[in-house]
PDB file of all heavy atoms in Angstrom:
ATOM      1  N   VAL T   1    -104.744 123.547 113.694  1.00  0.00           N
ATOM      2  CA  VAL T   1    -105.676 122.448 113.429  1.00  0.00           C
ATOM      3  C   VAL T   1    -104.897 121.213 113.008  1.00  0.00           C
ATOM      4  O   VAL T   1    -103.928 121.301 112.251  1.00  0.00           O
ATOM      5  CB  VAL T   1    -106.670 122.849 112.316  1.00  0.00           C
ATOM      6  CG1 VAL T   1    -107.498 121.654 111.871  1.00  0.00           C
ATOM      7  CG2 VAL T   1    -107.587 123.970 112.801  1.00  0.00           C
ATOM      8  N   GLY T   2    -105.319 120.051 113.497  1.00  0.00           N
ATOM      9  CA  GLY T   2    -104.753 118.780 113.072  1.00  0.00           C
ATOM     10  C   GLY T   2    -105.807 117.973 112.340  1.00  0.00           C
ATOM     11  O   GLY T   2    -106.903 117.764 112.872  1.00  0.00           O
ATOM     12  N   LEU T   3    -105.500 117.533 111.121  1.00  0.00           N
ATOM     13  CA  LEU T   3    -106.451 116.787 110.297  1.00  0.00           C
ATOM     14  C   LEU T   3    -105.982 115.342 110.131  1.00  0.00           C
ATOM     15  O   LEU T   3    -104.865 115.088 109.675  1.00  0.00           O
ATOM     16  CB  LEU T   3    -106.583 117.450 108.924  1.00  0.00           C
ATOM     17  CG  LEU T   3    -107.426 116.702 107.887  1.00  0.00           C
ATOM     18  CD1 LEU T   3    -108.884 116.592 108.332  1.00  0.00           C
ATOM     19  CD2 LEU T   3    -107.324 117.380 106.518  1.00  0.00           C
ATOM     20  N   LEU T   4    -106.844 114.416 110.500  1.00  0.00           N
ATOM     21  CA  LEU T   4    -106.634 112.999 110.230  1.00  0.00           C
ATOM     22  C   LEU T   4    -107.729 112.594 109.262  1.00  0.00           C
ATOM     23  O   LEU T   4    -108.872 112.349 109.660  1.00  0.00           O
ATOM     24  CB  LEU T   4    -106.698 112.171 111.517  1.00  0.00           C
ATOM     25  CG  LEU T   4    -106.455 110.672 111.383  1.00  0.00           C
ATOM     26  CD1 LEU T   4    -105.076 110.392 110.817  1.00  0.00           C
ATOM     27  CD2 LEU T   4    -106.627 109.978 112.733  1.00  0.00           C
ATOM     28  N   ALA T   5    -107.397 112.571 107.979  1.00  0.00           N
ATOM     29  CA  ALA T   5    -108.383 112.366 106.927  1.00  0.00           C
ATOM     30  C   ALA T   5    -108.560 110.893 106.611  1.00  0.00           C
ATOM     31  O   ALA T   5    -107.839 110.031 107.118  1.00  0.00           O
ATOM     32  CB  ALA T   5    -107.955 113.132 105.671  1.00  0.00           C
ATOM     33  N   HIS T   6    -109.527 110.619 105.731  1.00  0.00           N
ATOM     34  CA  HIS T   6    -109.753 109.239 105.286  1.00  0.00           C
ATOM     35  C   HIS T   6    -108.508 108.704 104.589  1.00  0.00           C
ATOM     36  O   HIS T   6    -108.125 107.548 104.773  1.00  0.00           O
ATOM     37  CB  HIS T   6    -110.958 109.196 104.348  1.00  0.00           C
ATOM     38  CG  HIS T   6    -111.269 107.829 103.822  1.00  0.00           C
ATOM     39  ND1 HIS T   6    -111.755 106.820 104.627  1.00  0.00           N
ATOM     40  CD2 HIS T   6    -111.153 107.290 102.577  1.00  0.00           C
ATOM     41  CE1 HIS T   6    -111.923 105.723 103.913  1.00  0.00           C
ATOM     42  NE2 HIS T   6    -111.568 105.984 102.671  1.00  0.00           N
ATOM     43  N   GLU T   7    -107.860 109.536 103.785  1.00  0.00           N
ATOM     44  CA  GLU T   7    -106.553 109.216 103.229  1.00  0.00           C
ATOM     45  C   GLU T   7    -105.479 109.708 104.200  1.00  0.00           C
ATOM     46  O   GLU T   7    -105.652 110.766 104.824  1.00  0.00           O
ATOM     47  CB  GLU T   7    -106.373 109.868 101.859  1.00  0.00           C
ATOM     48  CG  GLU T   7    -107.331 109.368 100.796  1.00  0.00           C
ATOM     49  CD  GLU T   7    -107.135 107.894 100.496  1.00  0.00           C
ATOM     50  OE1 GLU T   7    -105.985 107.408 100.585  1.00  0.00           O
ATOM     51  OE2 GLU T   7    -108.135 107.225 100.174  1.00  0.00           O
ATOM     52  N   PRO T   8    -104.362 109.002 104.347  1.00  0.00           N
ATOM     53  CA  PRO T   8    -103.406 109.332 105.411  1.00  0.00           C
ATOM     54  C   PRO T   8    -102.610 110.619 105.201  1.00  0.00           C
ATOM     55  O   PRO T   8    -101.958 111.083 106.125  1.00  0.00           O
ATOM     56  CB  PRO T   8    -102.473 108.114 105.435  1.00  0.00           C
ATOM     57  CG  PRO T   8    -102.586 107.510 104.073  1.00  0.00           C
ATOM     58  CD  PRO T   8    -103.997 107.758 103.640  1.00  0.00           C
ATOM     59  N   LEU T   9    -102.627 111.206 103.994  1.00  0.00           N
ATOM     60  CA  LEU T   9    -101.906 112.449 103.710  1.00  0.00           C
ATOM     61  C   LEU T   9    -100.407 112.308 103.983  1.00  0.00           C
ATOM     62  O   LEU T   9     -99.764 113.192 104.534  1.00  0.00           O
ATOM     63  CB  LEU T   9    -102.479 113.615 104.535  1.00  0.00           C
ATOM     64  CG  LEU T   9    -103.971 113.885 104.358  1.00  0.00           C
ATOM     65  CD1 LEU T   9    -104.402 115.044 105.245  1.00  0.00           C
ATOM     66  CD2 LEU T   9    -104.323 114.146 102.906  1.00  0.00           C
ATOM     67  N   LEU T  10     -99.879 111.139 103.580  1.00  0.00           N
ATOM     68  CA  LEU T  10     -98.455 110.855 103.731  1.00  0.00           C
ATOM     69  C   LEU T  10     -97.855 110.564 102.355  1.00  0.00           C
ATOM     70  O   LEU T  10     -98.544 110.084 101.454  1.00  0.00           O
ATOM     71  CB  LEU T  10     -98.243 109.643 104.643  1.00  0.00           C
ATOM     72  CG  LEU T  10     -98.761 109.764 106.074  1.00  0.00           C
ATOM     73  CD1 LEU T  10     -98.750 108.405 106.750  1.00  0.00           C
ATOM     74  CD2 LEU T  10     -97.945 110.767 106.872  1.00  0.00           C
ATOM     75  N   TYR T  11     -96.565 110.827 102.211  1.00  0.00           N
ATOM     76  CA  TYR T  11     -95.850 110.508 100.984  1.00  0.00           C
ATOM     77  C   TYR T  11     -95.416 109.043 101.030  1.00  0.00           C
ATOM     78  O   TYR T  11     -94.595 108.649 101.856  1.00  0.00           O
ATOM     79  CB  TYR T  11     -94.653 111.441 100.822  1.00  0.00           C
ATOM     80  CG  TYR T  11     -95.050 112.875 100.628  1.00  0.00           C
ATOM     81  CD1 TYR T  11     -95.020 113.764 101.699  1.00  0.00           C
ATOM     82  CD2 TYR T  11     -95.467 113.337  99.385  1.00  0.00           C
ATOM     83  CE1 TYR T  11     -95.391 115.096 101.526  1.00  0.00           C
ATOM     84  CE2 TYR T  11     -95.838 114.671  99.202  1.00  0.00           C
ATOM     85  CZ  TYR T  11     -95.806 115.537 100.280  1.00  0.00           C
ATOM     86  OH  TYR T  11     -96.193 116.857 100.113  1.00  0.00           O
ATOM     87  N   ARG T  12     -95.953 108.258 100.116  1.00  0.00           N
ATOM     88  CA  ARG T  12     -95.777 106.801 100.172  1.00  0.00           C
ATOM     89  C   ARG T  12     -94.334 106.359  99.969  1.00  0.00           C
ATOM     90  O   ARG T  12     -93.912 105.342 100.501  1.00  0.00           O
ATOM     91  CB  ARG T  12     -96.679 106.122  99.136  1.00  0.00           C
ATOM     92  CG  ARG T  12     -98.148 106.151  99.505  1.00  0.00           C
ATOM     93  CD  ARG T  12     -99.014 105.540  98.411  1.00  0.00           C
ATOM     94  NE  ARG T  12     -98.540 104.251  97.958  1.00  0.00           N
ATOM     95  CZ  ARG T  12     -98.769 103.094  98.578  1.00  0.00           C
ATOM     96  NH1 ARG T  12     -99.460 103.093  99.709  1.00  0.00           N
ATOM     97  NH2 ARG T  12     -98.315 101.965  98.081  1.00  0.00           N
ATOM     98  N   GLU T  13     -93.564 107.105  99.196  1.00  0.00           N
ATOM     99  CA  GLU T  13     -92.186 106.705  98.925  1.00  0.00           C
ATOM    100  C   GLU T  13     -91.227 107.137 100.029  1.00  0.00           C
ATOM    101  O   GLU T  13     -90.091 106.672 100.085  1.00  0.00           O
ATOM    102  CB  GLU T  13     -91.718 107.274  97.584  1.00  0.00           C
ATOM    103  CG  GLU T  13     -92.507 106.766  96.391  1.00  0.00           C
ATOM    104  CD  GLU T  13     -92.485 105.246  96.287  1.00  0.00           C
ATOM    105  OE1 GLU T  13     -91.408 104.651  96.512  1.00  0.00           O
ATOM    106  OE2 GLU T  13     -93.543 104.656  95.981  1.00  0.00           O
ATOM    107  N   LEU T  14     -91.673 108.017 100.896  1.00  0.00           N
ATOM    108  CA  LEU T  14     -90.850 108.443 102.025  1.00  0.00           C
ATOM    109  C   LEU T  14     -91.112 107.532 103.218  1.00  0.00           C
ATOM    110  O   LEU T  14     -92.170 106.914 103.333  1.00  0.00           O
ATOM    111  CB  LEU T  14     -91.147 109.888 102.402  1.00  0.00           C
ATOM    112  CG  LEU T  14     -90.869 110.965 101.349  1.00  0.00           C
ATOM    113  CD1 LEU T  14     -91.165 112.342 101.929  1.00  0.00           C
ATOM    114  CD2 LEU T  14     -89.429 110.887 100.859  1.00  0.00           C
ATOM    115  N   SER T  15     -90.165 107.486 104.121  1.00  0.00           N
ATOM    116  CA  SER T  15     -90.334 106.704 105.343  1.00  0.00           C
ATOM    117  C   SER T  15     -91.184 107.477 106.347  1.00  0.00           C
ATOM    118  O   SER T  15     -91.480 108.667 106.161  1.00  0.00           O
ATOM    119  CB  SER T  15     -88.974 106.394 105.960  1.00  0.00           C
ATOM    120  OG  SER T  15     -88.356 107.598 106.420  1.00  0.00           O
ATOM    121  N   ALA T  16     -91.555 106.791 107.416  1.00  0.00           N
ATOM    122  CA  ALA T  16     -92.325 107.447 108.475  1.00  0.00           C
ATOM    123  C   ALA T  16     -91.560 108.641 109.042  1.00  0.00           C
ATOM    124  O   ALA T  16     -92.114 109.725 109.210  1.00  0.00           O
ATOM    125  CB  ALA T  16     -92.647 106.444 109.576  1.00  0.00           C
ATOM    126  N   VAL T  17     -90.283 108.456 109.336  1.00  0.00           N
ATOM    127  CA  VAL T  17     -89.518 109.542 109.934  1.00  0.00           C
ATOM    128  C   VAL T  17     -89.329 110.684 108.937  1.00  0.00           C
ATOM    129  O   VAL T  17     -89.367 111.868 109.321  1.00  0.00           O
ATOM    130  CB  VAL T  17     -88.162 109.035 110.488  1.00  0.00           C
ATOM    131  CG1 VAL T  17     -87.215 108.623 109.357  1.00  0.00           C
ATOM    132  CG2 VAL T  17     -87.509 110.088 111.378  1.00  0.00           C
ATOM    133  N   GLN T  18     -89.169 110.380 107.655  1.00  0.00           N
ATOM    134  CA  GLN T  18     -89.034 111.440 106.657  1.00  0.00           C
ATOM    135  C   GLN T  18     -90.322 112.246 106.528  1.00  0.00           C
ATOM    136  O   GLN T  18     -90.293 113.470 106.398  1.00  0.00           O
ATOM    137  CB  GLN T  18     -88.640 110.843 105.312  1.00  0.00           C
ATOM    138  CG  GLN T  18     -87.205 110.354 105.258  1.00  0.00           C
ATOM    139  CD  GLN T  18     -86.900 109.575 103.989  1.00  0.00           C
ATOM    140  OE1 GLN T  18     -87.778 108.917 103.423  1.00  0.00           O
ATOM    141  NE2 GLN T  18     -85.659 109.650 103.536  1.00  0.00           N
ATOM    142  N   ASN T  19     -91.465 111.558 106.563  1.00  0.00           N
ATOM    143  CA  ASN T  19     -92.746 112.261 106.520  1.00  0.00           C
ATOM    144  C   ASN T  19     -92.898 113.201 107.717  1.00  0.00           C
ATOM    145  O   ASN T  19     -93.287 114.360 107.560  1.00  0.00           O
ATOM    146  CB  ASN T  19     -93.902 111.253 106.505  1.00  0.00           C
ATOM    147  CG  ASN T  19     -94.325 110.849 105.113  1.00  0.00           C
ATOM    148  OD1 ASN T  19     -95.080 111.568 104.455  1.00  0.00           O
ATOM    149  ND2 ASN T  19     -93.850 109.694 104.671  1.00  0.00           N
ATOM    150  N   LEU T  20     -92.584 112.705 108.892  1.00  0.00           N
ATOM    151  CA  LEU T  20     -92.736 113.540 110.082  1.00  0.00           C
ATOM    152  C   LEU T  20     -91.734 114.693 110.093  1.00  0.00           C
ATOM    153  O   LEU T  20     -92.061 115.802 110.538  1.00  0.00           O
ATOM    154  CB  LEU T  20     -92.598 112.696 111.348  1.00  0.00           C
ATOM    155  CG  LEU T  20     -93.691 111.645 111.588  1.00  0.00           C
ATOM    156  CD1 LEU T  20     -93.547 111.042 112.979  1.00  0.00           C
ATOM    157  CD2 LEU T  20     -95.083 112.230 111.411  1.00  0.00           C
ATOM    158  N   ARG T  21     -90.526 114.450 109.613  1.00  0.00           N
ATOM    159  CA  ARG T  21     -89.546 115.539 109.538  1.00  0.00           C
ATOM    160  C   ARG T  21     -90.015 116.639 108.589  1.00  0.00           C
ATOM    161  O   ARG T  21     -89.830 117.831 108.861  1.00  0.00           O
ATOM    162  CB  ARG T  21     -88.196 114.995 109.087  1.00  0.00           C
ATOM    163  CG  ARG T  21     -87.427 114.274 110.179  1.00  0.00           C
ATOM    164  CD  ARG T  21     -86.197 113.576 109.630  1.00  0.00           C
ATOM    165  NE  ARG T  21     -85.440 112.919 110.699  1.00  0.00           N
ATOM    166  CZ  ARG T  21     -84.567 111.948 110.492  1.00  0.00           C
ATOM    167  NH1 ARG T  21     -84.326 111.516 109.244  1.00  0.00           N
ATOM    168  NH2 ARG T  21     -83.930 111.402 111.501  1.00  0.00           N
ATOM    169  N   TYR T  22     -90.619 116.235 107.475  1.00  0.00           N
ATOM    170  CA  TYR T  22     -91.135 117.219 106.518  1.00  0.00           C
ATOM    171  C   TYR T  22     -92.192 118.093 107.182  1.00  0.00           C
ATOM    172  O   TYR T  22     -92.153 119.331 107.085  1.00  0.00           O
ATOM    173  CB  TYR T  22     -91.718 116.498 105.300  1.00  0.00           C
ATOM    174  CG  TYR T  22     -92.450 117.413 104.358  1.00  0.00           C
ATOM    175  CD1 TYR T  22     -91.750 118.256 103.504  1.00  0.00           C
ATOM    176  CD2 TYR T  22     -93.834 117.435 104.321  1.00  0.00           C
ATOM    177  CE1 TYR T  22     -92.418 119.106 102.639  1.00  0.00           C
ATOM    178  CE2 TYR T  22     -94.511 118.280 103.463  1.00  0.00           C
ATOM    179  CZ  TYR T  22     -93.799 119.113 102.620  1.00  0.00           C
ATOM    180  OH  TYR T  22     -94.468 119.951 101.771  1.00  0.00           O
ATOM    181  N   HIS T  23     -93.143 117.479 107.870  1.00  0.00           N
ATOM    182  CA  HIS T  23     -94.196 118.250 108.533  1.00  0.00           C
ATOM    183  C   HIS T  23     -93.641 119.052 109.705  1.00  0.00           C
ATOM    184  O   HIS T  23     -94.135 120.151 110.000  1.00  0.00           O
ATOM    185  CB  HIS T  23     -95.327 117.324 108.967  1.00  0.00           C
ATOM    186  CG  HIS T  23     -96.169 116.840 107.833  1.00  0.00           C
ATOM    187  ND1 HIS T  23     -97.150 117.606 107.250  1.00  0.00           N
ATOM    188  CD2 HIS T  23     -96.153 115.673 107.138  1.00  0.00           C
ATOM    189  CE1 HIS T  23     -97.710 116.940 106.254  1.00  0.00           C
ATOM    190  NE2 HIS T  23     -97.129 115.761 106.180  1.00  0.00           N
ATOM    191  N   ALA T  24     -92.650 118.524 110.370  1.00  0.00           N
ATOM    192  CA  ALA T  24     -92.021 119.265 111.469  1.00  0.00           C
ATOM    193  C   ALA T  24     -91.408 120.565 110.960  1.00  0.00           C
ATOM    194  O   ALA T  24     -91.531 121.624 111.605  1.00  0.00           O
ATOM    195  CB  ALA T  24     -90.963 118.408 112.150  1.00  0.00           C
ATOM    196  N   ARG T  25     -90.756 120.516 109.803  1.00  0.00           N
ATOM    197  CA  ARG T  25     -90.165 121.730 109.237  1.00  0.00           C
ATOM    198  C   ARG T  25     -91.241 122.762 108.906  1.00  0.00           C
ATOM    199  O   ARG T  25     -91.037 123.967 109.104  1.00  0.00           O
ATOM    200  CB  ARG T  25     -89.356 121.383 107.987  1.00  0.00           C
ATOM    201  CG  ARG T  25     -88.023 120.708 108.280  1.00  0.00           C
ATOM    202  CD  ARG T  25     -87.098 120.730 107.077  1.00  0.00           C
ATOM    203  NE  ARG T  25     -87.631 119.966 105.966  1.00  0.00           N
ATOM    204  CZ  ARG T  25     -87.402 118.662 105.776  1.00  0.00           C
ATOM    205  NH1 ARG T  25     -86.655 117.984 106.648  1.00  0.00           N
ATOM    206  NH2 ARG T  25     -87.920 118.032 104.729  1.00  0.00           N
ATOM    207  N   LEU T  26     -92.391 122.306 108.418  1.00  0.00           N
ATOM    208  CA  LEU T  26     -93.478 123.229 108.102  1.00  0.00           C
ATOM    209  C   LEU T  26     -93.947 123.995 109.331  1.00  0.00           C
ATOM    210  O   LEU T  26     -94.399 125.140 109.223  1.00  0.00           O
ATOM    211  CB  LEU T  26     -94.665 122.462 107.496  1.00  0.00           C
ATOM    212  CG  LEU T  26     -94.454 121.812 106.133  1.00  0.00           C
ATOM    213  CD1 LEU T  26     -95.718 121.065 105.716  1.00  0.00           C
ATOM    214  CD2 LEU T  26     -94.085 122.852 105.084  1.00  0.00           C
ATOM    215  N   HIS T  27     -93.829 123.360 110.495  1.00  0.00           N
ATOM    216  CA  HIS T  27     -94.311 123.971 111.738  1.00  0.00           C
ATOM    217  C   HIS T  27     -93.179 124.487 112.626  1.00  0.00           C
ATOM    218  O   HIS T  27     -93.425 124.887 113.769  1.00  0.00           O
ATOM    219  CB  HIS T  27     -95.166 122.970 112.514  1.00  0.00           C
ATOM    220  CG  HIS T  27     -96.435 122.582 111.822  1.00  0.00           C
ATOM    221  ND1 HIS T  27     -97.536 123.415 111.765  1.00  0.00           N
ATOM    222  CD2 HIS T  27     -96.777 121.459 111.128  1.00  0.00           C
ATOM    223  CE1 HIS T  27     -98.506 122.822 111.094  1.00  0.00           C
ATOM    224  NE2 HIS T  27     -98.075 121.641 110.696  1.00  0.00           N
ATOM    225  N   GLY T  28     -91.954 124.461 112.112  1.00  0.00           N
ATOM    226  CA  GLY T  28     -90.829 124.974 112.887  1.00  0.00           C
ATOM    227  C   GLY T  28     -90.471 124.125 114.084  1.00  0.00           C
ATOM    228  O   GLY T  28     -89.998 124.644 115.101  1.00  0.00           O
ATOM    229  N   LEU T  29     -90.666 122.806 113.976  1.00  0.00           N
ATOM    230  CA  LEU T  29     -90.394 121.893 115.084  1.00  0.00           C
ATOM    231  C   LEU T  29     -89.070 121.178 114.869  1.00  0.00           C
ATOM    232  O   LEU T  29     -88.578 121.051 113.750  1.00  0.00           O
ATOM    233  CB  LEU T  29     -91.526 120.865 115.202  1.00  0.00           C
ATOM    234  CG  LEU T  29     -92.921 121.450 115.406  1.00  0.00           C
ATOM    235  CD1 LEU T  29     -93.970 120.357 115.324  1.00  0.00           C
ATOM    236  CD2 LEU T  29     -93.008 122.181 116.739  1.00  0.00           C
ATOM    237  N   ASP T  30     -88.507 120.665 115.956  1.00  0.00           N
ATOM    238  CA  ASP T  30     -87.188 120.057 115.865  1.00  0.00           C
ATOM    239  C   ASP T  30     -87.264 118.530 115.851  1.00  0.00           C
ATOM    240  O   ASP T  30     -88.342 117.931 115.973  1.00  0.00           O
ATOM    241  CB  ASP T  30     -86.282 120.539 117.003  1.00  0.00           C
ATOM    242  CG  ASP T  30     -86.859 120.226 118.387  1.00  0.00           C
ATOM    243  OD1 ASP T  30     -87.711 119.310 118.502  1.00  0.00           O
ATOM    244  OD2 ASP T  30     -86.446 120.884 119.356  1.00  0.00           O
ATOM    245  N   GLU T  31     -86.100 117.888 115.725  1.00  0.00           N
ATOM    246  CA  GLU T  31     -86.012 116.437 115.631  1.00  0.00           C
ATOM    247  C   GLU T  31     -86.520 115.750 116.896  1.00  0.00           C
ATOM    248  O   GLU T  31     -87.083 114.645 116.834  1.00  0.00           O
ATOM    249  CB  GLU T  31     -84.563 116.028 115.366  1.00  0.00           C
ATOM    250  CG  GLU T  31     -84.317 114.533 115.247  1.00  0.00           C
ATOM    251  CD  GLU T  31     -84.927 113.920 114.003  1.00  0.00           C
ATOM    252  OE1 GLU T  31     -85.320 114.683 113.091  1.00  0.00           O
ATOM    253  OE2 GLU T  31     -85.005 112.676 113.930  1.00  0.00           O
TER     254      GLU T  31
END
């Protein structure tokens, strides 16, 4: 399931690429 909520569910102090890398690791995805 992919959730796009009213709040973005992103870490504000991290960059866009850091946020995506974090979620990629949770799902076993690569760079």
